[in-house]
Amino acid sequence: MAKKKKAQKQSFAEVMGVQMLQNDIFNFIFGIILFVCSVWLVVAFISYFATASIDQSLVMDMRPGDWFSKNSAFQNACGPLGALLSDFFICQCFGYSAFMIPVFLCIVGLKLVKAYNPNLIKTFLCFSVIMLWTSIFATKFLTPLIGGEVYNPGGGHGEYCCQWLENVVGLPGLIGILVLVAILFLTYLSSETVMVVRKILNPVSMIQNRVGFYVTNAKGEGGGNAASDMNDSAQSSAVSAAAGSEAADTGKYRETLKQTVDFSDSGSPVVNIVPNDDAEETETTPLNNPATPMPKSKETSDPSFTIRPAEGDSKSSTSRTVAPAGNPLDTPINPKEPWLNYKYPTLDLLKKYDDDDQPYIDMKEQTANKNRIVEVLSSFGVQIKTISATVGPTITLYEITPAEGVKISRIRNLEDDIALSLKAIGVRIIAPIPGKGTIGIEVPNAKMNIVSMESILNSEKFQKTSFELPIALGKTITNEVFMVDLAKIPHLLVAGATGQGKSVGLNAIITSLLYKKHPNELKLVLIDPKKVEFSVYSSIANHFMAMVPDDDEPIITDVKKVVRTLNSLCKLMDTRYDLLKMAGARNIKEYNRKYLNHQLRLTDGHEFMPYIVVVIDEFGDLIMQVGREVELPIARIAQLARAVGIHMVIATQRPTTSIITGNIKANFPGRMAFKVSQMIDSRTILDRPGANQLIGRGDMLFLSGNEPVRVQCAFVDTPEVERINQYISSQPGPVEPLELPEPASEEGAEVSGGGLDGHALDPLFEEAAHAIVITQQGSTSMIQRRFSIGYNRAGRLMDQLEKAGIVGAAQGSKPREVLLADENSLENLLVSLRG
């Protein structure tokens, strides 16, 4: 009983301690106290250097009354306590490096106040190493410089350690230990230390690199063939060295094992672990976990049931992403110049979750779902041979093999009955699974794992991809990384109801591109009618954005500027096609290869073409406000811009036929469908049902072919995106966004004499003229309604019609007078304008 009461008291004290540490007010007060104490201690240490010789005798022979004596003889600015603490930490312990102690206390106080959020464990370890190392270093090398002070610059600790090490290993050994500890510590702080040490140990290589750099510059200024050969060989050596370094850093990937759970007749589950290389031997181990229920065999005819955890993709051991594999040609021009020191974002900027590697398997849940599926099918007279389960991060795929003579349509029609039996939403039947002789039943897991962006970008599949524009979207049901090449899709439509993961999906797309592309290779055009979705990317505007010169902000939030930007992209597309025609290239890849190999003349206006990705959020809002004005340039870009490296990603939360028109669907073969509320919305996006059966929270169907693939979208949070953008903004790169060409004027240019230039009229000029003459109504609102355009464009059309002599002058709120009586007169006028 006594022990029990003591345990209760201890647990109560622990609970009270935890509650105090979680109290913001307590942490704030305690943090302020630590901050004040650290400042006071710094003042005492500084004062000690001037008063140490005076206070030394008093400290060594301290009398009880000296603490509170009014006539205290202590000269330290912080009194007797300051003198005692300074003597202890500086003279007896660590010398000059004792200043690390109040600095660390100050950092702890600032963390408790929540002014900063440092890693205290890492800070403590770093400060400890610096303090001990500096103490020994100061003792050995600074003692002869300070003269006859009462304290040692390294303190008592430094003096003792220095004497002991020098007696054991001598002076060279002491210096070697100090240098070794310094190199190890700096390597822990930054991997750049390795490169610095390599350059110091191999100065010849550094001189050769310098020579190669000057040869490259001479070649860029018009050097001869000899310079070209030297540069090519130097560049090939650099590429080989970089490849070897990456291979050494990556190491061996983990061997993925395939795990199945078989239910024997006795009812005890047995785990069979089989290596992926189809080894002949099988290791059989019984599950002795008491928490796992042991299902009992009811009938001998019960179909065999196996559970396979999704194998997933092996991870890379590198802390950063590998730069995309380039063309193995010896190209004398580096597309990354002059920003060769730009570093790609590292993976430690992303958050890692504990359950990234393998999904959690609940044997009780899987067995119960299997029994319910078998019972429902049996109750409707559907017999099956085998049933297996593949457990993914959020969905489990049950594959069943029906008995002979069972029609697939019978199982497909039982979808609602199976969902009712499992008490689950989002049950989806795939009958049959493409490429297999089985039928799939997708059932949501009771516990859903988070698919982090770190686990996707750290996979071998993403690290070694050769895609031009790789976008890593998430993981499939089999726990495999799902990624596609935007350059081959070539345009992507994202749709789904509010709050189902569209914004996270767009961030995942942009993040994938930022981790793989150099600022010279990729530019983004972000259109955000909501004004808050893409604002986090404003810090990387100079590195990765493209904009029209007169725009105030690189991220377009004003709907009136969207049409202008899209028209500017159309003009850029036409310009790029002219350059491709001059270069004799069919697409941007061939053009850039010729440019990098000096096969194009710069005097003809040739330049390296970066890929341009246009991301439009809330496309439905744009359609409502500007209508056909924004749909026409989007359709034109989607039809023609693939060959010149311009790709579009548009997202909408209202997948209706008035927004996702046939013209849009025909030019956007790539579809990402998140959960929608109705089947009609799913048919609008995917031309088939399925999106209405998803479970939300990033669950989506991706269609870029015949059959959609179910994917759990990777989760990237706003703080992660902010850290990535801050890292990129700190790297060397362009000093301003890429300038898009000035779009052509929509108003129609005037010529002398008050006439009109027929080649600069609005594309809708003739249609509007026919509509006005036929209806005999010269109204701006009529043109706006009839052609679904904005008021500004309708007003410009009316001004052009007035200058052409088709309608009269404005008469306030009244309709304008129509000056032409029939279409024959109109045709004669139009012919003269065309001429």
Side-chain angles (χ1 to χ4, degrees):
M1 291 294 292
K3 292 182 178 180
K4 187 173 182 180
K5 290 182 179 179
K6 185 177 181 180
Q8 290 178 352
K9 291 181 179 179
Q10 290 177 349
S11 62
F12 176 76
E14 292 175 357
V15 170
M16 292 297 297
V18 171
Q19 290 180 352
M20 290 181 65
L21 292 177
Q22 293 178 348
N23 191 317
D24 288 341
I25 298 178
F26 174 80
N27 289 340
F28 180 80
I29 295 174
F30 189 59
I32 293 295
I33 293 174
L34 287 179
F35 180 78
V36 173
C37 290
S38 64
V39 174
W40 176 85
L41 200 57
V42 169
V43 174
F45 285 0
I46 296 175
S47 178
Y48 175 78
F49 295 132
T51 62
S53 58
I54 302 175
D55 294 341
Q56 182 69 17
S57 59
L58 298 175
V59 171
M60 299 297 296
D61 189 18
M62 187 76 175
R63 293 176 296 179
D66 291 341
W67 284 95
F68 306 103
S69 175
K70 294 182 179 179
N71 299 322
S72 176
F74 285 96
Q75 300 298 314
N76 192 288
C78 294
L81 182 59
L84 286 173
L85 291 177
S86 300
D87 179 77
F88 175 76
F89 286 116
I90 296 178
C91 182
Q92 301 181 36
C93 292
F94 306 110
Y96 294 149
S97 59
F99 278 92
M100 292 292 176
I101 297 173
V103 173
F104 179 74
L105 293 178
C106 179
I107 293 175
V108 175
L110 293 176
K111 182 177 178 63
L112 292 176
V113 175
K114 295 185 178 180
Y116 297 93
N117 188 26
N119 187 334
L120 291 183
I121 297 178
K122 184 176 180 180
T123 305
F124 175 77
L125 293 176
C126 293
F127 275 31
S128 299
V129 173
I130 295 174
M131 184 169 62
L132 297 178
W133 187 91
T134 306
S135 175
I136 300 173
F137 179 86
T139 299
K140 184 60 186 174
F141 298 102
L142 299 184
T143 300
L145 303 178
I146 66 171
E149 293 289 346
V150 297
Y151 59 87
N152 189 286
H157 165 268
E159 187 175 7
Y160 173 79
C161 292
C162 185
Q163 292 177 357
W164 185 84
L165 289 174
E166 196 167 357
N167 290 335
V168 174
V169 297
L171 179 60
L174 173 62
I175 297 175
I177 291 174
L178 290 175
V179 173
L180 178 62
V181 172
I183 292 176
L184 294 177
F185 178 70
L186 293 176
T187 304
Y188 168 74
L189 292 181
S190 173
S191 59
E192 294 293 331
T193 307
V194 178
M195 300 302 298
V196 174
V197 173
R198 286 175 181 171
K199 291 180 179 179
I200 294 174
L201 297 178
N202 190 4
V204 177
S205 176
M206 183 170 62
I207 295 174
Q208 290 176 351
N209 290 336
R210 289 284 185 180
V211 173
F213 172 76
Y214 291 124
V215 170
T216 302
N217 287 347
K219 181 178 181 179
E221 295 173 0
N225 295 330
S228 176
D229 296 337
M230 292 178 64
N231 189 28
D232 291 345
S233 61
Q235 185 173 359
S236 300
S237 301
V239 171
S240 302
S245 176
E246 288 295 345
D249 292 340
T250 303
K252 295 183 179 179
Y253 294 95
R254 297 177 307 174
E255 180 182 7
T256 309
L257 300 179
K258 181 179 180 182
Q259 176 178 340
T260 63
V261 180
D262 297 330
F263 288 86
S264 61
D265 294 338
S266 61
S268 60
V270 177
V271 176
N272 298 324
I273 300 179
V274 184
N276 282 344
D277 54 357
D278 298 329
E280 296 180 359
E281 298 181 359
T282 302
E283 178 184 355
T284 304
T285 307
L287 286 176
N288 296 324
N289 187 359
T292 304
M294 301 300 176
K296 297 182 179 180
S297 167
K298 297 181 180 179
E299 300 176 357
T300 58
S301 61
D302 191 24
S304 62
F305 180 50
T306 60
I307 298 180
R308 297 187 298 272
E311 296 179 1
D313 293 86
S314 57
K315 287 190 174 182
S316 171
S317 60
T318 57
S319 62
R320 65 176 181 84
T321 59
V322 180
N327 197 331
L329 297 175
D330 294 332
T331 56
I333 296 180
N334 191 337
K336 300 178 182 179
E337 292 179 353
W339 321 115
L340 299 177
N341 294 328
Y342 174 84
K343 296 180 181 178
Y344 294 87
T346 56
L347 293 174
D348 55 8
L349 300 172
L350 299 170
K351 184 177 180 181
K352 179 177 175 59
Y353 296 87
D354 297 333
D355 51 2
D356 278 345
D357 296 335
Q358 288 291 339
Y360 169 77
I361 300 178
D362 188 346
M363 290 297 303
K364 184 177 180 180
E365 176 192 355
Q366 302 302 328
T367 305
N369 289 344
K370 166 252 180 182
N371 292 334
R372 292 192 188 101
I373 291 174
V374 173
E375 290 175 1
V376 171
L377 295 178
S378 299
S379 64
F380 285 94
V382 177
Q383 301 298 325
I384 59 176
K385 293 180 181 179
T386 60
I387 179 172
S388 63
T390 302
V391 183
T394 57
I395 301 295
T396 298
L397 174 64
Y398 295 90
E399 296 184 47
I400 61 176
T401 304
E404 299 294 337
V406 176
K407 292 184 177 180
I408 295 178
S409 59
R410 295 182 61 187
I411 300 177
R412 188 186 293 113
N413 295 332
L414 297 176
E415 186 174 76
D416 294 336
D417 299 284
I418 296 174
L420 177 63
S421 174
L422 296 174
K423 301 177 182 178
I425 59 173
V427 175
R428 180 169 168 261
I429 292 182
I430 309 173
I433 297 178
K436 295 184 179 180
T438 57
I439 297 174
I441 302 176
E442 297 175 349
V443 180
N445 297 334
K447 179 183 178 182
M448 300 179 184
N449 296 343
I450 296 177
V451 178
S452 68
M453 200 68 195
E454 191 273 343
S455 65
I456 303 298
L457 302 185
N458 197 20
S459 64
E460 179 183 3
K461 187 174 183 180
F462 183 81
Q463 294 283 334
K464 295 187 175 182
T465 183
S466 59
F467 290 168
E468 293 293 328
L469 293 175
I471 52 175
L473 299 177
K475 291 186 178 181
T476 62
I477 294 177
T478 57
N479 208 37
E480 297 177 354
V481 172
F482 184 81
M483 56 185 297
V484 294
D485 190 357
L486 183 60
K488 293 182 179 179
I489 294 180
H491 307 289
L492 185 60
L493 173 63
V494 184
T498 303
Q500 303 304 323
K502 293 190 308 301
S503 298
V504 176
L506 294 178
N507 286 329
I509 292 173
I510 298 175
T511 301
S512 303
L513 296 174
L514 294 179
Y515 264 83
K516 271 296 183 182
K517 306 305 291 184
H518 190 272
N520 288 354
E521 300 171 334
L522 172 70
K523 297 298 177 183
L524 299 173
V525 176
L526 303 182
I527 299 175
D528 182 16
K530 287 196 298 187
K531 302 182 180 181
V532 295
E533 196 60 51
F534 293 146
S535 59
V536 68
Y537 296 102
S538 58
S539 59
I540 62 171
N542 293 338
H543 287 73
F544 282 100
M545 297 291 181
M547 59 181 290
V548 180
D550 294 339
D551 288 348
D552 299 332
E553 298 179 356
I555 299 176
I556 305 167
T557 58
D558 188 356
V559 178
K560 298 179 181 178
K561 298 180 180 179
V562 173
V563 178
R564 184 167 179 262
T565 302
L566 293 175
N567 289 331
S568 177
L569 288 171
C570 290
K571 186 174 182 180
L572 175 64
M573 177 183 68
D574 296 335
T575 303
R576 286 191 170 189
Y577 267 113
D578 293 338
L579 293 176
L580 260 64
K581 180 181 177 181
M582 292 168 50
R586 295 184 301 172
N587 52 51
I588 185 175
K589 193 173 182 180
E590 293 182 6
Y591 177 88
N592 285 337
R593 182 164 59 246
K594 288 187 176 184
Y595 175 83
L596 296 177
N597 283 285
H598 288 297
Q599 298 177 4
L600 304 177
R601 291 186 300 178
L602 301 183
T603 55
D604 293 338
H606 292 291
E607 60 182 359
F608 183 81
M609 293 185 185
Y611 284 95
I612 296 179
V613 177
V614 185
V615 184
I616 304 177
D617 194 16
E618 296 300 335
F619 179 67
D621 186 63
L622 292 179
I623 292 294
M624 289 183 62
Q625 295 191 52
V626 292
R628 191 176 175 183
E629 281 188 272
V630 72
E631 185 180 352
L632 290 177
I634 286 179
R636 187 163 183 263
I637 293 173
Q639 289 171 353
L640 301 174
R642 172 183 181 179
V644 293
I646 303 177
H647 305 274
M648 302 194 70
V649 179
I650 63 175
T652 179
Q653 64 182 2
R654 294 194 301 272
T656 59
T657 54
S658 60
I659 295 173
I660 305 178
T661 61
N663 199 12
I664 294 294
K665 292 176 64 175
N667 295 291
F668 284 76
R671 318 276 177 81
M672 280 175 59
F674 292 89
K675 180 177 175 60
V676 295
S677 57
Q678 299 177 358
M679 184 185 296
I680 185 65
D681 295 335
S682 177
R683 292 187 180 276
T684 303
I685 306 169
L686 302 173
D687 298 323
R688 70 199 72 198
N692 55 309
Q693 298 170 317
L694 301 176
I695 61 175
R697 299 184 62 185
D699 189 20
M700 70 175 182
L701 291 174
F702 184 87
L703 177 65
S704 183
N706 296 327
E707 292 295 330
V709 180
R710 193 165 187 175
V711 180
Q712 177 63 37
C713 184
F715 178 71
V716 53
D717 204 0
T718 302
E720 299 176 74
V721 178
E722 291 176 348
R723 289 195 294 269
I724 294 170
N725 294 332
Q726 290 175 0
Y727 181 90
I728 293 176
S729 62
S730 65
Q731 297 299 316
V735 296
E736 60 182 7
L738 175 69
E739 286 192 2
L740 297 176
E742 188 71 27
S745 176
E746 300 177 357
E747 299 182 4
E750 295 186 21
V751 296
S752 60
L756 288 175
D757 184 1
H759 298 285
L761 293 174
D762 192 285
L764 297 177
F765 177 84
E766 293 189 8
E767 296 183 40
H770 281 285
I772 287 178
V773 172
I774 292 174
T775 60
Q776 291 293 307
Q777 294 180 3
S779 171
T780 303
S781 59
M782 185 273 290
I783 296 179
Q784 185 181 0
R785 291 192 307 269
R786 189 179 187 104
F787 298 99
S788 300
I789 60 177
Y791 180 80
N792 293 334
R793 188 179 181 185
R796 290 194 296 270
L797 266 172
M798 189 59 68
D799 293 339
Q800 293 177 5
L801 293 170
E802 179 185 354
K803 293 175 183 177
I806 299 175
V807 296
Q811 300 178 2
S813 59
K814 297 181 180 180
R816 295 176 184 244
E817 179 185 0
V818 181
L819 303 179
L820 299 180
D822 53 25
E823 289 189 89
N824 292 330
S825 303
L826 176 61
E827 283 296 331
N828 295 330
L829 178 60
L830 295 178
V831 169
S832 63
L833 290 176
R834 293 174 192 148

